[in-house]
Amino acid sequence: MPLLAAEGLTRRFGALVANDSVDLTVMPGEIHALLGENGAGKSTLVKMLYGLLQPDAGIIRWKGDAVTLPTPKAARGLGIGMVFQHFSLFDALTVAENVALALDDARPLRAVSDELADISRAYGLPLEPRREVWRLSVGARQRIEIVRCLMQNPDLLILDEPTSVLTPQESEGLFATLRTLRAEGRAVLYISHKLEEVRGLCEAATILRQGRVVDRCDPRQQTAGSLARMMVGAHIAEVRRARAEARIGPVRLRVDHLSVPSEDPQGTALKDVTLEVGTGEILGIAGVAGNGQDELFAALSGEVRAPEAGNIVLEGTPIGWNGINARRRAAAAFVPEERLGHAAAPRLPLSENALMAGHAKGGFTRRGLIDRGRMLGWVDAVTHAFDVRKGPRDPEARALSGGNLQKFVVGREILGKPRLLVVAQPTWGVDAGAASLIRQALIDLAARGASVLVISQDLDELFEIADRMAVIFHGRLSPAYPAEDLTREAVGLLMGGEGFGPGREAA
Amino acid sequence: MTLAEAIFLTVITASTPLLLAAIGELVVERSGVLNLGVEGMMIMGAASGVAVAIVTGSSVLGVVAAIGAGMAMAALFALLTLGLATNQVAAGLSLTIFGLGLSGVVGAPFVGMQRAGIAKIEVPFLSELPLIGPILFRQDPFVYGSVALVAGVAWFLWRTKAGLVLRACGENPVSAHALGYPVLRIRFAAVLFGGACAGLAGAYLSLVLTPFWTAGMTAGRGWIALAIVVFASWLPWRAMLGAYLFGGLIILQLHAQTAGVRVPSQLLAALPYLLTIVALTVIMALRRGGGQVAPQALGRPFVPDR
C-alpha cells in the first residue's frame, strides 16, 4: 500500500492553475524525485501535502485513508516532515530553540537538547544545541532543518532543493543520511533541479510541467538528458562554444593582491585575491556560499572601494577607487546575485530598472529629462532579445517570475555591449530553458571579445561555460586552472578548503 | 521619614507607570509589532480609570476600566496593522493623537474632581526594616504588581514554549507561519497585552500618582516607555532598570528645577532619549561579532498567503 497517494489534486491562484489534477504516489522506503522547471507547480504540490495550502479539488490519502491537512501541524501529526528550500530558521534563536519550535509537544528545552544530540549523532548530522543560528554555516543550518524534522519521527520527509547550497562533499553526507532513512523504511520526497543527483539517489520520479504530471519514470533507467527533456517538453538547446585558444586575447581585467575587510560582521574578508581575465574569456569562480563571493562582487562592482586604486586594473587603468558609475562608463557591467532588491528594485517598472543600470552610460535622457520612449524601447529590445515573458509592456519587476526577471537583468547588461561583465549566480533558481538561454548569451558575449567573470555555486554551470576556473574559500582565491584540466572532485576538494592550508601550494 | 527615603519613594512612584507601559510594549515588540500608540493607550486608561472610579466609587472598577480602555485602543491598532496590514508607525502615531483627543472628551466632566489615592500595602515585619522597609515594603499594589509583571514576562518569554513562539513571530513571521503558528493571532494577543499594560499605567497616573484628571496628564510618559524598551535592548529585567533610571531622571529634573539649578529643563527632559541612544551605541559596540538586538521583523507587516 502506498504511504502517500495524492489523487487529482488541483489548486488555482486566480486564473492560474498551479496544479491541475495531479496524481502522486510515494511508497514506504522510497526516495521519490519530484522534477519540474520553476513554476511547474512543485512547490504548490508539496505545500498542499504539508498543509500549508488547501487543494481546491482532489484528495490526499495517507496509508490508504483519505485525510485533510488544514495545517502543517496536522501533517506533522501524521508523520510528514518538510525541509524548506529557504530555511525557515530563526537567526537570533539557538539551535535547540529552533528545534523546539518545530515540535508540537511542549518538551522542556533541556530534553530537546538531549534528544537533538542523540539524533545528530545517530544520523551523522553534527550540531551544537546552544549555538545561535546566525553563527552557523549554511550546511549546519540545513542540518538543523533535517534534525528538527527527524525529531518528529516522520514516515515521509519532503526536501525542497536541499543540495543547492552544499559542496559536493556536503551533498554526499546528506545522501548518506537519506539512504539511512530509506533503510529504516522511511520515504523521502526529493525536489531537485540536479538531474545527476536524482539519478544517483532516487528510484522513482514524477515529472511536472505547467501544473500537470507529464511523466513518471525510474530515474536510474534514464539519462540526465532524457530527464531534462521530460521536464521542459522539448529539446534544450545545447550550449555551444568555440575552442578557447582561438578567442582569448590579452588581459583586460587584473585584480592584484586585493584584500578587503568585510563590512558585514558576519561576512568574509577578501585576502590577497589575484586574478586575470583575458579578452574573450569566461573566468568562473566556484565556491560554497559565504566564502567571500559577495565581497568579491562588491569590490569588483565598486560598491566597496579597494584599498589601492591599483588593486583592480581595467584595460590598463587603475579603477580600484572608482565608483560604480565610473566603472560602468568604462564599459563594465554587473549583475548581482539577488534579483529582487539588488539587481532590480521590486516595485519599480522594468523601464525604470533599466534606467537605473544604464543612466551612467547615458542614452536615456534628453536635456536632463528622462526619455520615457527610449526607456520603453530599451525594455522592448531586452524583452525581444532575451525572450522575457511578461503580461503588460512595462510591469513592476516583482511581477516577473524569477527566470524571466533574471533574463531581463542579464539582458539589460549584455545589450549595453559591455567589455567586462561580472555576474554572480547567473542562473540561480532559474528553470532549465532560461538557464540555457542565459549561459548561451554569456558565451556569445565572450565570443564577441568581451571578458566575463562568473561567480557561481553551480559546478555544472561553470564546467559548461567557463574557460578557466578558480575557487574562493574563506576569502582567498585559488589559482585559475583551465576548465578542461579540472574534475568535479578536484574542484570539490578546493571548495572544501583542501590546498588552501598555510605553507602549501594550491593543488 | 528621611529625605533619602522620600526621594526613593518618589522615584519608585514615578517609575512604576513607565515600567508598566514599557513591559507591555516590550512584549508587543518581541512579537514583531511596533506600537507607537503607547501614549494614546495610556491616557485613555487614565481618563477611563478616573471616570469609572468617580462614577462607581470603586477604585478596582476604575482600574478594570482603564485596562479595558487600553485594550480597546490596542484592538483598534491591531485591526489596522494586523487585520489590514497598514503601516505600523503611521497607525501608532494616529493612535496616540486619537487617544490624546478622545481622553479629553471622556475626562471633561471630571476635571477638578479629586479622590483619595489607593491605599498602600504594608508587608508585616519587613516594612519595619530600617531604610529599605518603608521604600520596598510599604507600597501601593501597582508597585508590587509591576515587579511581578516583569518577573512573569521574563519567565514567559524565556522559559515557556508560548513565549518562544511569540519571540519567533517577532524574528521571522514567515517561518513561524510555515511551522504552523498563527502569527497574526499571537501578535494580536501581544498587542492586547501591551494595551492592557498601558491602560494600567494610565490608571496609576490618574488614581495613584495624581488622583485626579487633567487633560494630557501622561505628559510624554508613553514615549519614554518606548525609549525604555529600546534602552533595555528588549530584555525585561533591563527594562526595569531603565524604568527606574528614567523615573529617577524625572525626579531629578523636578528637584533641580525647585532647587534652581541652572540646567535647561529641556535638556533634562531629553536625557532619557539621549541615554537610550548612548545605551544602543554601547550595546552595538559590545556586540561587534554581529547578531541583532532588535527583533528582526519589528515593524514589518506580515500577510500570510492563503
Side-chain angles (χ1 to χ4, degrees), chain A residues 11 47 50 52-53 72-73 76 84 87-93 97 100-106 109 134 148 265-266, chain B residues 157-158 161 164-169 171-181 287-292 296 305-306:
Chain A
R11 169 75 199 203
K47 277 183 180 172
Y50 192 57
L52 277 170
L53 284 174
K73 195 171 171 170
R76 287 196 297 265
F84 292 90
F87 301 145
S88 56
L89 293 175
F90 304 89
D91 286 353
L93 305 184
E97 284 177 331
L101 275 169
L103 301 176
D104 293 323
D105 52 320
L109 211 57
W134 60 264
R148 80 181 180 179
Q266 292 164 50
Chain B
L157 285 178
W158 273 274
K161 176 78 180 283
L164 176 59
V165 173
L166 187 142
R167 284 189 288 137
C169 291
E171 291 298 331
N172 190 342
V174 179
S175 299
H177 174 69
L179 286 172
Y181 293 110
R287 277 242 188 171
R288 207 171 318 144
Q292 282 267 336
Q296 236 163 42
D305 54 335
R306 272 277 149 233

Side-chain angles (χ1 to χ4, degrees), chain A residues 231-249:
Chain A
M231 270 166 59
V232 300
H235 223 69
I236 302 176
E238 291 264 325
V239 172
R240 288 165 289 110
R241 59 171 167 169
R243 288 293 302 154
E245 293 79 17
R247 310 182 273 109
I248 296 175

Side-chain angles (χ1 to χ4, degrees), chain A residues 204-216:
Chain A
T206 296
I207 295 119
L208 289 178
R209 189 162 72 230
Q210 289 170 356
R212 293 200 187 90
V213 175
V214 289
D215 226 324
R216 288 186 183 77

Side-chain angles (χ1 to χ4, degrees), chain A residues 140-477:
Chain A
R141 288 174 196 218
Q142 187 180 60
R143 293 199 288 275
I144 304 175
E145 290 272 1
I146 295 172
V147 166
R148 80 181 180 179
C149 283
L150 294 180
M151 296 275 283
Q152 313 271 354
N153 195 20
D155 294 316
L156 171 67
L157 188 64
I158 303 172
L159 294 153
D160 193 358
E161 306 229 5
T163 58
S164 54
V165 291
L166 303 181
T167 61
Q169 282 81 4
E170 279 179 319
S171 298
E172 281 306 323
L174 171 69
F175 300 153
T177 302
L178 295 183
R179 290 192 179 104
T180 310
L181 293 173
R182 169 167 63 190
E184 291 175 344
R186 302 176 206 265
V188 175
L189 186 58
Y190 189 87
I191 302 176
S192 180
H193 275 310
K194 299 189 181 175
L195 303 173
E196 286 299 338
E197 238 172 59
V198 167
R199 288 182 58 228
L201 187 68
C202 307
E203 53 261 348
T206 296
I207 295 119
L208 289 178
R209 189 162 72 230
Q210 289 170 356
R212 293 200 187 90
V213 175
V214 289
D215 226 324
R216 288 186 183 77
C217 64
D218 180 345
R220 291 169 299 187
Q221 318 277 319
Q222 303 288 328
T223 64
S226 65
L227 287 172
R229 272 194 296 282
M230 290 182 215
M231 270 166 59
V232 300
H235 223 69
I236 302 176
E238 291 264 325
V239 172
R240 288 165 289 110
R241 59 171 167 169
R243 288 293 302 154
E245 293 79 17
R247 310 182 273 109
I248 296 175
V251 172
R252 174 172 282 136
L253 172 74
R254 172 177 291 124
V255 176
D256 194 14
H257 299 288
L258 172 70
S259 296
V260 186
S262 181
E263 291 183 335
D264 178 359
Q266 292 164 50
T268 309
L270 295 178
K271 299 182 196 89
D272 203 27
V273 169
T274 295
L275 62 85
E276 289 179 344
V277 193
T279 58
E281 183 181 40
I282 300 181
L283 175 68
I285 295 186
V288 180
N291 269 296
Q293 288 96 331
D294 296 348
E295 289 77 8
L296 180 60
F297 182 87
L300 290 173
S301 68
E303 287 171 40
V304 171
R305 311 287 162 93
E308 301 288 334
N311 283 146
I312 304 173
V313 180
L314 178 61
E315 298 181 334
T317 314
I319 59 161
W321 286 351
N322 292 6
I324 300 173
N325 285 341
R327 295 186 195 195
R328 280 187 180 275
R329 278 193 289 271
F334 312 98
V335 182
E337 171 176 344
E338 246 188 302
R339 285 187 281 272
L340 271 184
H342 197 172
R347 307 191 72 145
L348 293 185
L350 294 184
S351 58
E352 292 178 13
N353 271 299
L355 173 71
M356 286 200 298
H359 75 94
K361 289 175 73 179
F364 288 129
T365 54
R366 204 163 38 189
R367 286 190 291 274
L369 297 176
I370 293 169
D371 186 343
R372 281 206 70 78
R374 212 171 292 180
M375 266 162 56
L376 282 172
W378 184 252
V379 171
D380 292 342
V382 175
T383 303
H384 179 73
F386 282 82
D387 186 30
V388 180
R389 303 197 192 151
K390 55 191 168 60
R393 185 180 177 195
D394 191 19
E396 286 183 3
R398 61 177 176 159
L400 264 60
S401 74
N404 280 308
L405 182 59
Q406 187 67 17
K407 284 191 279 187
F408 178 79
V409 295
V410 172
R412 172 180 77 179
E413 303 300 341
I414 289 183
L415 253 58
K417 298 199 176 65
R419 292 198 296 277
L420 167 68
L421 178 68
V422 179
V423 51
Q425 302 290 0
T427 61
W428 177 274
V430 158
D431 62 70
S436 107
L437 187 146
I438 289 169
R439 288 173 192 158
Q440 186 66 55
L442 294 177
I443 286 169
D444 293 347
L445 181 70
R448 292 194 296 269
S451 306
V452 180
L453 192 149
V454 182
I455 302 170
S456 177
Q457 287 157 49
D458 184 342
L459 283 189
D460 294 331
E461 169 168 281
L462 291 177
F463 273 110
E464 194 174 329
I465 64 175
D467 299 304
R468 287 187 305 140
M469 278 166 72
V471 174
I472 192 164
F473 175 77
H474 285 188
R476 293 195 288 157
L477 193 71

Side-chain angles (χ1 to χ4, degrees), chain A residues 56-74:
Chain A
D56 293 322
I59 47 174
I60 298 168
R61 284 183 195 283
W62 179 253
K63 297 176 180 170
D65 302 326
V67 292
T68 54
L69 301 168
T71 61
K73 195 171 171 170

